[in-house]
Amino acid sequence: GEQRFFMGWAQIWRAKERDEYVRSLLQTSLYLPPSFRANAAAGNVDGFYAAFGIKPEHRLYRAPAERVRIW
């Protein structure tokens, strides 16, 4: 169930983009490209680490002190 939530989140932001387009978006748009939105947001949620067993050696790992806390 928990994995399905994060898989659904990733599917919402699924997109096929060329590197040139991503560079252009980063320079001109107020919003991040979809791939950044999917991965950056999930990396701040503790449940993401529990659902997929993310450990410090994994690429998407972010130390607890570095995760964004809003509430």
Side-chain angles (χ1 to χ4, degrees):
E2 292 176 2
Q3 286 184 349
R4 287 185 187 152
F5 171 81
F6 291 105
M7 295 297 285
W9 175 259
Q11 287 176 347
I12 289 171
W13 295 109
R14 180 176 45 196
K16 198 171 193 179
E17 305 158 327
R18 293 178 178 235
D19 290 340
E20 298 82 17
Y21 176 70
V22 172
R23 271 190 229 105
S24 174
L25 274 180
L26 289 170
Q27 294 173 354
T28 61
S29 178
L30 298 175
Y31 304 103
L32 288 173
S35 59
F36 288 89
R37 289 180 180 215
N39 293 332
N44 289 308
V45 179
D46 293 335
F48 173 72
Y49 296 86
F52 291 99
I54 304 293
K55 306 269 187 254
E57 61 269 11
H58 293 112
R59 190 173 61 109
L60 292 176
Y61 180 83
R62 187 174 297 142
E66 296 175 0
R67 297 176 196 165
V68 176
R69 302 277 185 226
I70 297 174
W71 296 280

